[in-house]
PDB file of all heavy atoms in Angstrom:
ATOM      1  N   PHE A 191     -19.850  14.882 -62.110  1.00 92.00           N
ATOM      2  CA  PHE A 191     -20.038  15.798 -63.246  1.00 92.00           C
ATOM      3  C   PHE A 191     -20.301  17.221 -62.732  1.00 92.00           C
ATOM      4  O   PHE A 191     -21.045  17.375 -61.771  1.00 92.00           O
ATOM      5  CB  PHE A 191     -21.160  15.376 -64.123  1.00 92.00           C
ATOM      6  CG  PHE A 191     -20.976  14.020 -64.750  1.00 92.00           C
ATOM      7  CD1 PHE A 191     -21.850  12.967 -64.478  1.00 92.00           C
ATOM      8  CD2 PHE A 191     -19.882  13.740 -65.602  1.00 92.00           C
ATOM      9  CE1 PHE A 191     -21.698  11.769 -64.997  1.00 92.00           C
ATOM     10  CE2 PHE A 191     -19.726  12.484 -66.152  1.00 92.00           C
ATOM     11  CZ  PHE A 191     -20.619  11.488 -65.897  1.00 92.00           C
ATOM     12  N   PRO A 192     -19.718  18.239 -63.370  1.00 92.00           N
ATOM     13  CA  PRO A 192     -20.010  19.635 -62.887  1.00 92.00           C
ATOM     14  C   PRO A 192     -21.422  20.032 -63.219  1.00 92.00           C
ATOM     15  O   PRO A 192     -22.006  19.543 -64.227  1.00 92.00           O
ATOM     16  CB  PRO A 192     -18.993  20.441 -63.746  1.00 92.00           C
ATOM     17  CG  PRO A 192     -18.694  19.578 -64.941  1.00 92.00           C
ATOM     18  CD  PRO A 192     -18.766  18.195 -64.458  1.00 92.00           C
ATOM     19  N   PRO A 193     -22.010  20.876 -62.447  1.00 93.00           N
ATOM     20  CA  PRO A 193     -23.442  21.311 -62.660  1.00 93.00           C
ATOM     21  C   PRO A 193     -23.602  22.142 -63.931  1.00 93.00           C
ATOM     22  O   PRO A 193     -24.738  22.352 -64.339  1.00 93.00           O
ATOM     23  CB  PRO A 193     -23.706  22.146 -61.418  1.00 93.00           C
ATOM     24  CG  PRO A 193     -22.373  22.596 -60.906  1.00 93.00           C
ATOM     25  CD  PRO A 193     -21.423  21.513 -61.261  1.00 93.00           C
ATOM     26  N   THR A 194     -22.505  22.567 -64.535  1.00 96.00           N
ATOM     27  CA  THR A 194     -22.599  23.362 -65.797  1.00 96.00           C
ATOM     28  C   THR A 194     -22.821  22.523 -67.026  1.00 96.00           C
ATOM     29  O   THR A 194     -23.082  23.033 -68.106  1.00 96.00           O
ATOM     30  CB  THR A 194     -21.303  24.181 -65.982  1.00 96.00           C
ATOM     31  OG1 THR A 194     -20.178  23.265 -65.916  1.00 96.00           O
ATOM     32  CG2 THR A 194     -21.116  25.198 -64.883  1.00 96.00           C
ATOM     33  N   LEU A 195     -22.739  21.186 -66.884  1.00 96.00           N
ATOM     34  CA  LEU A 195     -22.796  20.281 -68.051  1.00 96.00           C
ATOM     35  C   LEU A 195     -24.104  20.341 -68.787  1.00 96.00           C
ATOM     36  O   LEU A 195     -25.200  20.246 -68.176  1.00 96.00           O
ATOM     37  CB  LEU A 195     -22.512  18.853 -67.549  1.00 96.00           C
ATOM     38  CG  LEU A 195     -21.867  17.858 -68.542  1.00 96.00           C
ATOM     39  CD1 LEU A 195     -20.494  18.409 -69.009  1.00 96.00           C
ATOM     40  CD2 LEU A 195     -21.740  16.514 -67.957  1.00 96.00           C
ATOM     41  N   LYS A 196     -24.019  20.498 -70.143  1.00 97.00           N
ATOM     42  CA  LYS A 196     -25.193  20.551 -70.976  1.00 97.00           C
ATOM     43  C   LYS A 196     -25.324  19.330 -71.908  1.00 97.00           C
ATOM     44  O   LYS A 196     -26.399  18.925 -72.285  1.00 97.00           O
ATOM     45  CB  LYS A 196     -25.213  21.834 -71.817  1.00 97.00           C
ATOM     46  CG  LYS A 196     -25.379  23.100 -70.990  1.00 97.00           C
ATOM     47  CD  LYS A 196     -25.373  24.362 -71.868  1.00 97.00           C
ATOM     48  CE  LYS A 196     -25.555  25.614 -71.092  1.00 97.00           C
ATOM     49  NZ  LYS A 196     -25.599  26.837 -71.957  1.00 97.00           N
ATOM     50  N   LYS A 197     -24.153  18.845 -72.287  1.00 98.00           N
ATOM     51  CA  LYS A 197     -24.105  17.682 -73.236  1.00 98.00           C
ATOM     52  C   LYS A 197     -23.253  16.601 -72.662  1.00 98.00           C
ATOM     53  O   LYS A 197     -22.105  16.844 -72.335  1.00 98.00           O
ATOM     54  CB  LYS A 197     -23.633  18.150 -74.601  1.00 98.00           C
ATOM     55  CG  LYS A 197     -24.492  19.145 -75.283  1.00 98.00           C
ATOM     56  CD  LYS A 197     -23.906  19.571 -76.624  1.00 98.00           C
ATOM     57  CE  LYS A 197     -24.769  20.604 -77.320  1.00 98.00           C
ATOM     58  NZ  LYS A 197     -24.212  20.996 -78.657  1.00 98.00           N
ATOM     59  N   LEU A 198     -23.791  15.388 -72.582  1.00 97.00           N
ATOM     60  CA  LEU A 198     -23.037  14.203 -72.020  1.00 97.00           C
ATOM     61  C   LEU A 198     -23.107  13.066 -72.983  1.00 97.00           C
ATOM     62  O   LEU A 198     -24.205  12.606 -73.375  1.00 97.00           O
ATOM     63  CB  LEU A 198     -23.636  13.906 -70.659  1.00 97.00           C
ATOM     64  CG  LEU A 198     -23.065  12.637 -69.962  1.00 97.00           C
ATOM     65  CD1 LEU A 198     -21.567  12.799 -69.665  1.00 97.00           C
ATOM     66  CD2 LEU A 198     -23.835  12.361 -68.668  1.00 97.00           C
ATOM     67  N   THR A 199     -21.944  12.490 -73.306  1.00 97.00           N
ATOM     68  CA  THR A 199     -21.836  11.286 -74.130  1.00 97.00           C
ATOM     69  C   THR A 199     -21.126  10.189 -73.341  1.00 97.00           C
ATOM     70  O   THR A 199     -20.024  10.477 -72.838  1.00 97.00           O
ATOM     71  CB  THR A 199     -21.165  11.550 -75.456  1.00 97.00           C
ATOM     72  OG1 THR A 199     -21.827  12.550 -76.162  1.00 97.00           O
ATOM     73  CG2 THR A 199     -21.107  10.299 -76.294  1.00 97.00           C
ATOM     74  N   LEU A 200     -21.685   9.012 -73.262  1.00 96.00           N
ATOM     75  CA  LEU A 200     -21.052   7.888 -72.553  1.00 96.00           C
ATOM     76  C   LEU A 200     -20.984   6.690 -73.447  1.00 96.00           C
ATOM     77  O   LEU A 200     -21.893   6.430 -74.228  1.00 96.00           O
ATOM     78  CB  LEU A 200     -21.786   7.532 -71.269  1.00 96.00           C
ATOM     79  CG  LEU A 200     -21.873   8.570 -70.168  1.00 96.00           C
ATOM     80  CD1 LEU A 200     -22.783   8.153 -69.075  1.00 96.00           C
ATOM     81  CD2 LEU A 200     -20.476   8.913 -69.623  1.00 96.00           C
ATOM     82  N   ARG A 201     -19.891   5.908 -73.326  1.00 96.00           N
ATOM     83  CA  ARG A 201     -19.760   4.662 -74.097  1.00 96.00           C
ATOM     84  C   ARG A 201     -18.953   3.672 -73.303  1.00 96.00           C
ATOM     85  O   ARG A 201     -17.894   3.998 -72.751  1.00 96.00           O
ATOM     86  CB  ARG A 201     -19.099   4.927 -75.453  1.00 96.00           C
ATOM     87  CG  ARG A 201     -19.101   3.711 -76.361  1.00 96.00           C
ATOM     88  CD  ARG A 201     -18.445   3.964 -77.689  1.00 96.00           C
ATOM     89  NE  ARG A 201     -17.000   4.040 -77.617  1.00 96.00           N
ATOM     90  CZ  ARG A 201     -16.189   4.290 -78.651  1.00 96.00           C
ATOM     91  NH1 ARG A 201     -16.708   4.631 -79.798  1.00 96.00           N
ATOM     92  NH2 ARG A 201     -14.877   4.298 -78.476  1.00 96.00           N
ATOM     93  N   GLY A 202     -19.374   2.429 -73.277  1.00 95.00           N
ATOM     94  CA  GLY A 202     -18.619   1.304 -72.745  1.00 95.00           C
ATOM     95  C   GLY A 202     -18.561   1.211 -71.221  1.00 95.00           C
ATOM     96  O   GLY A 202     -17.970   0.293 -70.721  1.00 95.00           O
ATOM     97  N   CYS A 203     -19.266   2.113 -70.505  1.00 94.00           N
ATOM     98  CA  CYS A 203     -19.177   2.056 -69.048  1.00 94.00           C
ATOM     99  C   CYS A 203     -20.099   1.012 -68.395  1.00 94.00           C
ATOM    100  O   CYS A 203     -20.002   0.729 -67.228  1.00 94.00           O
ATOM    101  CB  CYS A 203     -19.372   3.438 -68.429  1.00 94.00           C
ATOM    102  SG  CYS A 203     -20.788   4.336 -69.124  1.00 94.00           S
ATOM    103  N   GLN A 204     -21.075   0.520 -69.151  1.00 93.00           N
ATOM    104  CA  GLN A 204     -21.929  -0.606 -68.723  1.00 93.00           C
ATOM    105  C   GLN A 204     -22.685  -0.293 -67.417  1.00 93.00           C
ATOM    106  O   GLN A 204     -22.685  -1.091 -66.493  1.00 93.00           O
ATOM    107  CB  GLN A 204     -21.141  -1.878 -68.634  1.00 93.00           C
ATOM    108  CG  GLN A 204     -20.444  -2.266 -69.927  1.00 93.00           C
ATOM    109  CD  GLN A 204     -19.615  -3.516 -69.778  1.00 93.00           C
ATOM    110  OE1 GLN A 204     -20.082  -4.546 -69.270  1.00 93.00           O
ATOM    111  NE2 GLN A 204     -18.385  -3.430 -70.248  1.00 93.00           N
ATOM    112  N   LEU A 205     -23.215   0.908 -67.340  1.00 93.00           N
ATOM    113  CA  LEU A 205     -23.931   1.318 -66.121  1.00 93.00           C
ATOM    114  C   LEU A 205     -25.286   0.560 -66.038  1.00 93.00           C
ATOM    115  O   LEU A 205     -25.936   0.321 -67.065  1.00 93.00           O
ATOM    116  CB  LEU A 205     -24.218   2.817 -66.139  1.00 93.00           C
ATOM    117  CG  LEU A 205     -23.024   3.748 -66.038  1.00 93.00           C
ATOM    118  CD1 LEU A 205     -23.441   5.178 -66.302  1.00 93.00           C
ATOM    119  CD2 LEU A 205     -22.310   3.617 -64.705  1.00 93.00           C
ATOM    120  N   PRO A 206     -25.706   0.201 -64.850  1.00 92.00           N
ATOM    121  CA  PRO A 206     -27.036  -0.381 -64.728  1.00 92.00           C
ATOM    122  C   PRO A 206     -28.106   0.684 -64.963  1.00 92.00           C
ATOM    123  O   PRO A 206     -27.904   1.874 -64.653  1.00 92.00           O
ATOM    124  CB  PRO A 206     -27.071  -0.889 -63.261  1.00 92.00           C
ATOM    125  CG  PRO A 206     -26.008  -0.114 -62.572  1.00 92.00           C
ATOM    126  CD  PRO A 206     -24.969   0.192 -63.590  1.00 92.00           C
ATOM    127  N   TRP A 207     -29.234   0.294 -65.521  1.00 92.00           N
ATOM    128  CA  TRP A 207     -30.253   1.276 -65.910  1.00 92.00           C
ATOM    129  C   TRP A 207     -30.805   2.094 -64.744  1.00 92.00           C
ATOM    130  O   TRP A 207     -31.264   3.194 -64.954  1.00 92.00           O
ATOM    131  CB  TRP A 207     -31.386   0.571 -66.693  1.00 92.00           C
ATOM    132  CG  TRP A 207     -31.036   0.286 -68.110  1.00 92.00           C
ATOM    133  CD1 TRP A 207     -30.684  -0.945 -68.662  1.00 92.00           C
ATOM    134  CD2 TRP A 207     -30.911   1.219 -69.163  1.00 92.00           C
ATOM    135  NE1 TRP A 207     -30.371  -0.802 -69.985  1.00 92.00           N
ATOM    136  CE2 TRP A 207     -30.514   0.556 -70.342  1.00 92.00           C
ATOM    137  CE3 TRP A 207     -31.116   2.581 -69.278  1.00 92.00           C
ATOM    138  CZ2 TRP A 207     -30.305   1.163 -71.570  1.00 92.00           C
ATOM    139  CZ3 TRP A 207     -30.904   3.239 -70.506  1.00 92.00           C
ATOM    140  CH2 TRP A 207     -30.496   2.509 -71.596  1.00 92.00           C
ATOM    141  N   ASP A 208     -30.782   1.544 -63.582  1.00 89.00           N
ATOM    142  CA  ASP A 208     -31.320   2.284 -62.446  1.00 89.00           C
ATOM    143  C   ASP A 208     -30.520   3.537 -62.114  1.00 89.00           C
ATOM    144  O   ASP A 208     -30.938   4.393 -61.355  1.00 89.00           O
ATOM    145  CB  ASP A 208     -31.573   1.392 -61.238  1.00 89.00           C
ATOM    146  CG  ASP A 208     -30.203   0.759 -60.718  1.00 89.00           C
ATOM    147  OD1 ASP A 208     -29.129   1.140 -61.239  1.00 89.00           O
ATOM    148  OD2 ASP A 208     -30.294  -0.056 -59.820  1.00 89.00           O
ATOM    149  N   GLN A 209     -29.275   3.602 -62.657  1.00 89.00           N
ATOM    150  CA  GLN A 209     -28.460   4.794 -62.366  1.00 89.00           C
ATOM    151  C   GLN A 209     -28.783   5.915 -63.356  1.00 89.00           C
ATOM    152  O   GLN A 209     -28.179   7.017 -63.240  1.00 89.00           O
ATOM    153  CB  GLN A 209     -26.945   4.401 -62.473  1.00 89.00           C
ATOM    154  CG  GLN A 209     -26.554   3.451 -61.400  1.00 89.00           C
ATOM    155  CD  GLN A 209     -25.022   3.175 -61.401  1.00 89.00           C
ATOM    156  OE1 GLN A 209     -24.294   3.739 -62.150  1.00 89.00           O
ATOM    157  NE2 GLN A 209     -24.637   2.288 -60.475  1.00 89.00           N
ATOM    158  N   MET A 210     -29.698   5.699 -64.264  1.00 91.00           N
ATOM    159  CA  MET A 210     -30.159   6.815 -65.143  1.00 91.00           C
ATOM    160  C   MET A 210     -30.755   7.943 -64.316  1.00 91.00           C
ATOM    161  O   MET A 210     -30.642   9.090 -64.681  1.00 91.00           O
ATOM    162  CB  MET A 210     -31.182   6.288 -66.146  1.00 91.00           C
ATOM    163  CG  MET A 210     -31.756   7.335 -67.086  1.00 91.00           C
ATOM    164  SD  MET A 210     -30.560   8.083 -68.197  1.00 91.00           S
ATOM    165  CE  MET A 210     -30.397   6.737 -69.366  1.00 91.00           C
ATOM    166  N   THR A 211     -31.406   7.580 -63.204  1.00 90.00           N
ATOM    167  CA  THR A 211     -32.023   8.612 -62.380  1.00 90.00           C
ATOM    168  C   THR A 211     -30.947   9.590 -61.821  1.00 90.00           C
ATOM    169  O   THR A 211     -31.271  10.760 -61.525  1.00 90.00           O
ATOM    170  CB  THR A 211     -32.772   7.999 -61.191  1.00 90.00           C
ATOM    171  OG1 THR A 211     -31.884   7.156 -60.418  1.00 90.00           O
ATOM    172  CG2 THR A 211     -33.927   7.124 -61.763  1.00 90.00           C
ATOM    173  N   ILE A 212     -29.735   9.103 -61.653  1.00 90.00           N
ATOM    174  CA  ILE A 212     -28.666   9.958 -61.167  1.00 90.00           C
ATOM    175  C   ILE A 212     -28.333  11.039 -62.215  1.00 90.00           C
ATOM    176  O   ILE A 212     -28.144  12.227 -61.854  1.00 90.00           O
ATOM    177  CB  ILE A 212     -27.416   9.135 -60.810  1.00 90.00           C
ATOM    178  CG1 ILE A 212     -27.753   8.165 -59.682  1.00 90.00           C
ATOM    179  CG2 ILE A 212     -26.247  10.031 -60.378  1.00 90.00           C
ATOM    180  CD1 ILE A 212     -26.593   7.225 -59.338  1.00 90.00           C
ATOM    181  N   LEU A 213     -28.262  10.649 -63.467  1.00 91.00           N
ATOM    182  CA  LEU A 213     -27.940  11.605 -64.525  1.00 91.00           C
ATOM    183  C   LEU A 213     -29.076  12.660 -64.672  1.00 91.00           C
ATOM    184  O   LEU A 213     -28.802  13.822 -65.043  1.00 91.00           O
ATOM    185  CB  LEU A 213     -27.759  10.863 -65.842  1.00 91.00           C
ATOM    186  CG  LEU A 213     -26.595   9.919 -65.937  1.00 91.00           C
ATOM    187  CD1 LEU A 213     -26.534   9.228 -67.328  1.00 91.00           C
ATOM    188  CD2 LEU A 213     -25.286  10.591 -65.627  1.00 91.00           C
ATOM    189  N   CYS A 214     -30.259  12.275 -64.342  1.00 89.00           N
ATOM    190  CA  CYS A 214     -31.399  13.200 -64.404  1.00 89.00           C
ATOM    191  C   CYS A 214     -31.282  14.330 -63.407  1.00 89.00           C
ATOM    192  O   CYS A 214     -31.978  15.343 -63.528  1.00 89.00           O
ATOM    193  CB  CYS A 214     -32.720  12.450 -64.173  1.00 89.00           C
ATOM    194  SG  CYS A 214     -33.116  11.276 -65.470  1.00 89.00           S
ATOM    195  N   LYS A 215     -30.399  14.222 -62.458  1.00 91.00           N
ATOM    196  CA  LYS A 215     -30.221  15.242 -61.442  1.00 91.00           C
ATOM    197  C   LYS A 215     -29.301  16.403 -61.863  1.00 91.00           C
ATOM    198  O   LYS A 215     -29.161  17.382 -61.170  1.00 91.00           O
ATOM    199  CB  LYS A 215     -29.692  14.624 -60.135  1.00 91.00           C
ATOM    200  CG  LYS A 215     -30.687  13.638 -59.475  1.00 91.00           C
ATOM    201  CD  LYS A 215     -30.071  13.054 -58.240  1.00 91.00           C
ATOM    202  CE  LYS A 215     -31.013  12.035 -57.622  1.00 91.00           C
ATOM    203  NZ  LYS A 215     -30.458  11.371 -56.384  1.00 91.00           N
ATOM    204  N   LEU A 216     -28.666  16.197 -63.059  1.00 93.00           N
ATOM    205  CA  LEU A 216     -27.797  17.264 -63.540  1.00 93.00           C
ATOM    206  C   LEU A 216     -28.667  18.440 -63.965  1.00 93.00           C
ATOM    207  O   LEU A 216     -29.480  18.327 -64.903  1.00 93.00           O
ATOM    208  CB  LEU A 216     -26.952  16.761 -64.731  1.00 93.00           C
ATOM    209  CG  LEU A 216     -25.889  15.735 -64.364  1.00 93.00           C
ATOM    210  CD1 LEU A 216     -25.251  15.116 -65.625  1.00 93.00           C
ATOM    211  CD2 LEU A 216     -24.794  16.376 -63.513  1.00 93.00           C
ATOM    212  N   PRO A 217     -28.537  19.612 -63.343  1.00 95.00           N
ATOM    213  CA  PRO A 217     -29.469  20.697 -63.526  1.00 95.00           C
ATOM    214  C   PRO A 217     -29.576  21.311 -64.908  1.00 95.00           C
ATOM    215  O   PRO A 217     -30.630  21.813 -65.300  1.00 95.00           O
ATOM    216  CB  PRO A 217     -29.035  21.727 -62.514  1.00 95.00           C
ATOM    217  CG  PRO A 217     -27.560  21.442 -62.287  1.00 95.00           C
ATOM    218  CD  PRO A 217     -27.440  19.942 -62.431  1.00 95.00           C
ATOM    219  N   LYS A 218     -28.472  21.289 -65.685  1.00 96.00           N
ATOM    220  CA  LYS A 218     -28.486  21.946 -66.984  1.00 96.00           C
ATOM    221  C   LYS A 218     -28.360  20.974 -68.161  1.00 96.00           C
ATOM    222  O   LYS A 218     -28.223  21.448 -69.307  1.00 96.00           O
ATOM    223  CB  LYS A 218     -27.355  22.988 -67.039  1.00 96.00           C
ATOM    224  CG  LYS A 218     -27.511  24.146 -66.061  1.00 96.00           C
ATOM    225  CD  LYS A 218     -26.466  25.205 -66.288  1.00 96.00           C
ATOM    226  CE  LYS A 218     -26.694  26.394 -65.340  1.00 96.00           C
ATOM    227  NZ  LYS A 218     -25.693  27.427 -65.516  1.00 96.00           N
ATOM    228  N   LEU A 219     -28.417  19.703 -67.901  1.00 96.00           N
ATOM    229  CA  LEU A 219     -28.252  18.728 -68.984  1.00 96.00           C
ATOM    230  C   LEU A 219     -29.386  18.821 -70.002  1.00 96.00           C
ATOM    231  O   LEU A 219     -30.587  18.724 -69.662  1.00 96.00           O
ATOM    232  CB  LEU A 219     -28.234  17.291 -68.389  1.00 96.00           C
ATOM    233  CG  LEU A 219     -27.790  16.194 -69.339  1.00 96.00           C
ATOM    234  CD1 LEU A 219     -26.340  16.394 -69.804  1.00 96.00           C
ATOM    235  CD2 LEU A 219     -27.941  14.823 -68.723  1.00 96.00           C
TER     236      LEU A 219
END
Side-chain angles (χ1 to χ4, degrees):
F191 299 118
T194 55
L195 208 60
K196 295 181 179 180
K197 298 179 181 180
L198 174 62
T199 303
L200 296 173
R201 188 179 77 182
C203 46
Q204 303 176 50
L205 294 171
W207 280 106
D208 60 7
Q209 293 186 4
M210 178 64 77
T211 57
I212 298 177
L213 296 180
C214 293
K215 296 178 181 179
L216 291 170
K218 295 187 178 181
L219 191 64

